[in-house]
Amino acid sequence: MKVLTVGGGAREHSIAAALKHGGAKIYACMKNKNPGIARLSEEFALVSETEIDAIVRYAKSRAVELAFVGPEAPLEAGLADALATSGISVAGPTKSAARIETSKRFMRELMERHSVPGRVRFLASDSMDEIKDWLDLNGCDVVVKPSGLTGGKGAKVYGEHLSSSDDVMGYCRDIIEKKLGGTGIAVLEERLQGEEFTLQGLCDGRRVIPTPAVQDHKRAYEGDSGPNTGGMGSYSDSDHLLPFLSKEHYDSALDIMRKTKEAMRAEGIDYRGILYGQFMLTREGPKVVEFNARFGDPEAMNVLSIIESSFLEMTEGMATGSLPGKCGFGQRATVCKYVVPEGYGTKPLSGEKIEVDEDAIKKSGAVLYYAAVNETDDGIFTTTSRSVGIVGLGGSIEEAEGQCERAISNVRGKVFVRHDIGKSDLIRKRIEHMCAIRGETNG
């Protein structure tokens, strides 16, 4: 089957690899030449991922039968709608359905209208007077974010990025006046205490088939310090839970996702594609931080590196409303670490050549996914975003982390890595933090 993939990052490399393994013939559209995707493809086109007409023309000219859209921006621009109108089945939500990510206001109000569990106190407004009244009533211990897309970097947290009510009001004013996120609407949410985790589901309009739970690491530097990024790495455990996450809490998060999908269905929204739930495990259980309308990056690499079912069949099932009852994943732990350009998170070095010893990485047993690099006749060069994702696999997180570290040494250049991801000290801190939140003793 001819399958179109859209996007040029490591997430999309992992998607293309999983589809290819299932027997797909890949035709790719990406703005940068990702060498991994290029090699997997029958053919590829270098095109901006939001150039809807150009992508549709390319797909039709190659008689593509099925499409998988990786990033959120083309979903917001209506790529899934345009492809479907052209007779191509799409594993990706329509522009209306993608509002679960592209409009935080829509997401929060949808959950409120349908009494979906895992809700938080919130306000979505473009009125500074209304925001002031809400803060006077609820206090300033909040998270503030634009309602629209900001590449995962728009949220500011009281006590971390904001230190006073004036700071909170000032950021809200910036969002409204500068139309940050494209809408000029500020969303204020109660600040949650706990541990974040990700649960991603495959959706066909009726079913939500879950994948293993993953924990991402947004901060640029070790010890959870430095600026927020698109994600420096992530890990999952062999039992598909996390060291601080019980089966009961995993099931509660899945229930929230299924009820959110049903809320959309009740409003006439047929959601097909990946539904990504970002949760905070609190003293009261999982609460929703956000939903995304696509795989996480890097979390896609964790789950697709151990998928045992045919991802081509799963993609077709999502697109056509015919998913099977479950999707199989290997009982293996994964640790993903990103190799990024020096300065990433503030002023990343772009256009720097990197050397990747692919044979050595393969011999180590780890999996290599190229990210937002650009390949030319002269080699592989950094852009302003992440460069290479390395996934280690093992019977335990410790074993997977060791394999990942050994493989990373085979990527050289003006780059850096957050090495503490998946290490026992950091995971122990996560467990101790969650025990403290619950008022338990870590035995």
Side-chain angles (χ1 to χ4, degrees):
M1 177 180 287
K2 292 183 176 181
V3 181
L4 174 74
T5 63
V6 178
R11 167 181 52 203
E12 288 77 33
H13 185 180
S14 69
I15 290 166
L19 287 166
K20 181 79 170 182
H21 184 73
K25 292 183 178 180
I26 305 296
Y27 292 79
C29 286
M30 48 188 169
K31 62 184 176 183
N32 54 295
K33 186 183 176 184
N34 179 308
I37 298 173
R39 289 177 211 161
L40 291 168
S41 302
E42 305 294 313
E43 186 181 302
F44 65 90
L46 296 179
V47 57
S48 170
E49 292 142 8
T50 54
E51 288 186 30
I52 305 303
D53 291 343
I55 293 172
V56 171
R57 282 197 303 270
Y58 175 79
K60 289 175 67 177
S61 70
R62 271 57 179 181
V64 162
E65 303 160 80
L66 178 65
F68 194 107
V69 183
E72 62 273 24
L75 294 171
E76 182 183 40
L79 178 56
D81 310 65
L83 288 167
T85 298
S86 298
I88 298 168
S89 298
V90 189
T94 62
K95 183 174 183 176
S96 175
R99 287 180 296 160
I100 198 70
E101 173 174 8
T102 62
S103 172
K104 296 174 182 66
R105 180 178 198 169
F106 169 79
M107 182 270 286
R108 290 296 181 196
E109 292 178 350
L110 175 82
M111 293 183 69
E112 200 69 28
R113 285 194 297 273
H114 295 269
S115 300
V116 176
R119 303 189 306 282
V120 301
R121 293 193 311 277
F122 78 99
L123 172 71
S125 179
D126 59 1
S127 164
M128 291 302 299
D129 289 339
E130 187 176 18
I131 288 169
K132 184 180 184 303
D133 290 344
W134 191 87
L135 289 170
D136 287 344
L137 180 65
N138 292 280
C140 61
D141 192 14
V142 295
V143 179
V144 184
K145 57 186 77 168
S147 180
L149 295 178
T150 57
K153 302 172 187 176
K156 292 193 177 183
V157 182
Y158 182 80
E160 295 183 25
H161 314 96
L162 309 168
S163 58
S164 66
S165 58
D166 286 344
D167 286 349
V168 172
M169 291 287 287
Y171 186 44
C172 289
R173 188 174 291 106
D174 282 347
I175 291 171
I176 293 168
E177 293 179 354
K178 298 177 183 177
K179 293 195 178 298
L180 301 182
T183 66
I185 296 171
V187 178
L188 296 86
E189 302 167 352
E190 65 173 297
R191 184 164 70 103
L192 300 172
Q193 299 288 340
E195 282 293 328
E196 286 196 38
F197 68 96
T198 300
L199 181 58
Q200 301 168 106
L202 286 63
C203 303
D204 67 357
R206 295 174 297 130
R207 301 178 185 84
V208 178
I209 307 299
T211 68
V214 184
Q215 187 173 50
D216 184 20
H217 299 69
K218 290 290 188 186
R219 296 288 192 160
Y221 310 134
E222 296 183 12
D224 292 322
S225 62
N228 274 341
T229 70
M232 293 298 295
S234 47
Y235 70 90
S236 65
D237 211 344
S238 59
D239 61 0
H240 301 167
L241 303 174
L242 293 166
F244 58 85
L245 181 72
S246 69
K247 180 67 163 57
E248 176 187 0
H249 289 134
Y250 176 99
D251 289 344
S252 294
L254 178 57
D255 180 62
I256 291 169
M257 291 176 68
R258 286 175 168 159
K259 286 178 177 173
T260 301
K261 182 268 300 175
E262 285 302 319
M264 286 189 280
R265 190 174 177 83
E267 296 195 3
I269 300 171
D270 185 23
Y271 192 98
R272 301 188 184 193
I274 302 299
L275 182 62
Y276 166 116
Q278 187 75 34
F279 295 94
M280 183 76 78
L281 181 57
T282 71
R283 186 184 183 95
E284 294 79 31
K287 299 287 184 74
V288 174
V289 176
E290 65 180 4
F291 283 111
N292 290 331
R294 37 72 188 181
F295 269 131
D297 187 347
E299 297 98 324
M301 291 181 274
N302 297 89
V303 300
L304 291 178
S305 293
I306 58 170
I307 191 169
E308 292 183 339
S309 298
S310 166
F311 190 57
L312 176 58
E313 290 181 12
M314 293 295 157
T315 298
E316 189 174 14
M318 285 187 281
T320 61
S322 58
L323 274 172
K326 64 179 181 178
C327 182
F329 295 89
Q331 298 289 318
R332 306 189 76 187
T334 68
V335 172
C336 175
K337 301 188 190 190
Y338 256 123
V339 181
V340 302
E342 287 183 7
Y344 178 67
T346 52
K347 293 181 179 179
L349 290 179
S350 178
E352 295 289 339
K353 189 173 183 177
I354 60 172
E355 302 291 341
V356 182
D357 189 338
E358 296 184 14
D359 289 338
I361 292 170
K362 186 175 182 179
K363 287 177 183 176
S364 76
V367 185
L368 161 69
Y369 297 114
Y370 282 104
V373 292
N374 195 45
E375 185 180 38
T376 71
D377 292 340
D378 296 323
I380 298 171
F381 295 85
T382 63
T383 65
T384 57
S385 190
R386 297 165 291 185
S387 301
V388 176
I390 302 288
V391 179
L393 310 170
S396 66
I397 296 171
E398 181 180 12
E399 185 180 322
E401 192 277 331
Q403 185 184 85
C404 182
E405 276 292 319
R406 289 189 293 275
I408 278 173
S409 66
N410 296 292
V411 182
R412 301 176 183 87
K414 292 183 178 180
V415 294
F416 78 93
V417 175
R418 186 175 159 182
H419 290 286
D420 64 345
I421 295 168
K423 288 191 181 295
S424 57
D425 285 350
L426 187 61
I427 290 174
R428 185 173 63 252
K429 287 179 183 177
R430 301 280 196 257
I431 296 169
E432 291 171 351
H433 180 224
M434 203 61 243
C435 288
I437 292 292
R438 294 183 182 132
E440 301 171 348
T441 300
N442 180 24

